[in-house]
Amino acid sequence: MRPIKLTVSAFGPYAGKTEFDFDKLGTGGLYLITGDTGAGKTTIFDAITYALYGDPSGNNREVSMFRSKYASDETPTFVKLIFAYKGKNYTIKRNPEYERAAQRGSGLTKQTAAVELILPDGKPITKTREVDKEINNIIGINRDQFCQIAMIAQGDFLKLLIAPTKDRIEIFRHIFKTKLYSDLQNKLKQEASSLDNNCLQIRQSITQYIAGINCDESSLHCVQVSKATNNELPIDECISLLEKLLAEDS
């Protein structure tokens, strides 16, 4: 996912409408956001993450905190993100629930939360659950994984490096779409385990039968019977031995 343009309005410390044109920074897809403390760096992270997933980039902030306390009652609060994925452009616009100026009369009224995702073919999706599902399908990772690998705040990169192996495997599996191979590997392991159990049961049955054979020391099969009894004979030779012994008895 490469951000193309981010627009925020009455969001965090940004009282008015502010645009961030990432296209001017090139198409490399790797950006370093720097600035003084309180300059609004984290707000940019929050705006992108909120546009995509409906939540901030950090766990110590709430969506209800996004409405700028510096904005006038008439200024709408929203985030709009245009981004590219696999050569196709998507546009998503989202706003939290907040108090705004009433269109009729005086006072304030509640603006309900809303979201709209415009697909590359121009089709709009406006239901929150459908948008969230579509974003996860497009990008292939959830909000927590996105914050770990796509938008890394100061000090958070270390969390990815020291994350348990299981967590890192899950993250990279989503990124590189390797779940199909993981599922195949698990299925083959299950089938191999099942075959091993069947083989063990067959061997135990054969050993049980052989253990009950009284074989004269002068018999040509005495040595093989002894090996079979001690599990020293391959399964196919054990079966062959049983067939010979049964044939002689009959």
Side-chain angles (χ1 to χ4, degrees), residues 118-175:
I118 306 296
L119 301 178
D121 61 2
K123 176 185 176 181
I125 302 177
T126 56
K127 293 183 178 180
T128 302
R129 183 173 296 180
E130 293 180 5
V131 170
D132 293 343
K133 181 179 179 180
E134 189 68 27
I135 287 295
N136 276 278
N137 289 337
I138 294 169
I139 302 179
I141 53 179
N142 59 34
R143 175 258 183 191
D144 292 337
Q145 293 165 339
F146 180 80
C147 292
Q148 281 186 288
I149 62 174
M151 299 184 58
I152 305 174
Q154 182 179 357
D156 284 352
F157 184 61
L158 181 61
K159 295 179 182 178
L160 176 61
L161 295 179
I162 64 176
T165 301
K166 181 180 178 181
D167 293 346
R168 277 184 283 137
I169 289 175
E170 189 64 27
I171 291 171
F172 292 131
R173 181 176 294 154
H174 280 282
I175 297 173

Side-chain angles (χ1 to χ4, degrees), residues 1-3 22 25-31 150:
M1 191 282 289
R2 182 176 67 85
F22 291 98
L25 303 177
T27 58
L30 182 63
Y31 312 108

Side-chain angles (χ1 to χ4, degrees), residues 59-92:
N59 296 323
N60 58 343
R61 294 177 296 282
E62 300 291 338
V63 173
S64 58
M65 300 167 59
F66 285 157
R67 170 69 177 176
S68 177
K69 62 182 180 181
Y70 307 108
S72 63
D73 294 338
E74 294 77 18
T75 305
T77 294
F78 69 85
V79 170
K80 180 180 179 181
L81 175 66
I82 303 174
F83 67 94
Y85 187 78
K86 291 186 176 181
K88 297 180 180 180
N89 289 358
Y90 300 81
T91 301
I92 186 167

Side-chain angles (χ1 to χ4, degrees), residues 202-214 229 242 245:
I202 293 172
R203 176 176 285 278
Q204 288 174 342
S205 297
I206 293 174
T207 302
Q208 183 179 357
Y209 283 120
I210 293 177
I213 297 174
N214 293 320
T229 304
L242 273 178
L245 293 172

